[in-house]
Amino acid sequence: YGPSATRYQRVNTATDYDTSGFPVYLKFDGVDDYLSLPYMGLYANGSASVVTASALLRQATGACTISEGNTADADSLYCMTRQLASGGNLDSVIVRDDATVLLDTAGTASALADGAVSVRDFVDTGSGIKLFKNSGQLTSDAYARSGTVTLNNTTIGAKVGTAAALFNNLMLYGIIITKSALSDADRRKCEVYLGRKAGVQL
């Protein structure tokens, strides 16, 4: 299966669902689809990593792949992986409660053709963020944590603040989230594992 597959898994209940014959990804439409996770406190923990295997589709606005927001504050944001409107470039952004931007990596030259599957990584040590695509480092940005960043939700496929926004149009083959900064060796293991699931040779 791949990005051109059109049959999706039928899920009726936790015990009534298709077990074969469907694509090996979740499809987010970029309009209103997202998944709410139990709040993970990734920013509050002080370090975090996210490794994804996905295929992005271009859209007119920026979009979050995975983020933490605050349902009582439209500004607070920890968007680990963001697809920019400018050709699908990879980006990360952190915004305080008072709307001060602590970090915006401003995009990296990581654009791929629509629907091209890649493995993309985010590693936050608490004082710096590194972004990777298919095991190659794209950027490394230092930042200083200051002020207050109050977050209460963790979301895949959008940002949820006082309203849901920044919906992503993507096919998600797999995701690994850790409340730690992965070592290069562990990051590589995660990349290879997800790459195999998504058909990306690393």
Side-chain angles (χ1 to χ4, degrees):
Y1 299 101
S4 62
T6 57
R7 182 168 179 240
Y8 299 100
Q9 182 182 24
R10 177 192 60 83
V11 179
N12 187 40
T13 68
T15 57
D16 178 17
Y17 54 87
D18 290 340
T19 58
S20 64
F22 53 88
V24 292
Y25 56 81
L26 292 175
K27 175 71 170 72
F28 296 76
D29 65 8
V31 177
D32 58 6
D33 292 346
Y34 66 93
L35 295 174
S36 295
L37 302 178
Y39 173 57
M40 298 182 71
L42 299 173
Y43 181 82
N45 184 64
S47 63
S49 302
V50 176
V51 183
T52 66
S54 62
L56 302 175
L57 300 172
R58 283 179 182 44
Q59 50 197 60
T61 59
C64 288
T65 301
I66 181 164
S67 67
E68 292 187 327
N70 184 345
T71 53
D73 185 345
D75 295 315
S76 307
L77 176 62
Y78 184 50
C79 187
M80 288 78 92
T81 56
R82 181 173 66 167
Q83 172 193 358
L84 295 182
S86 56
N89 289 352
L90 187 63
D91 182 43
S92 293
V93 64
I94 304 171
V95 183
R96 296 190 326 199
D97 296 357
D98 64 3
T100 300
V101 177
L102 287 181
L103 173 76
D104 186 342
T105 60
T108 57
S110 66
L112 293 170
D114 279 359
V117 184
S118 66
V119 177
R120 299 184 181 203
D121 314 356
F122 159 97
V123 179
D124 182 3
T125 64
S127 60
I129 286 179
K130 291 182 180 179
L131 300 174
F132 301 83
K133 183 187 77 177
N134 293 341
S135 291
Q137 184 173 316
L138 297 170
T139 187
S140 178
D141 293 274
Y143 74 98
R145 293 189 173 210
S146 66
T148 304
V149 182
T150 307
L151 305 163
N152 63 15
N153 65 76
T154 306
T155 306
I156 297 174
K159 175 225 176 183
V160 176
T162 52
L166 302 179
F167 297 101
N168 208 331
N169 188 357
L170 80 157
M171 290 164 279
L172 182 65
Y173 289 78
I175 186 167
I176 296 171
I177 304 169
T178 67
K179 294 179 75 170
S180 64
L182 288 172
S183 66
D184 286 341
D186 287 342
R187 174 180 54 79
R188 176 68 180 168
K189 290 176 185 175
C190 292
E191 290 170 344
V192 170
Y193 172 74
L194 289 183
R196 286 176 179 159
K197 289 174 67 71
V200 177
Q201 179 110 18
L202 298 176

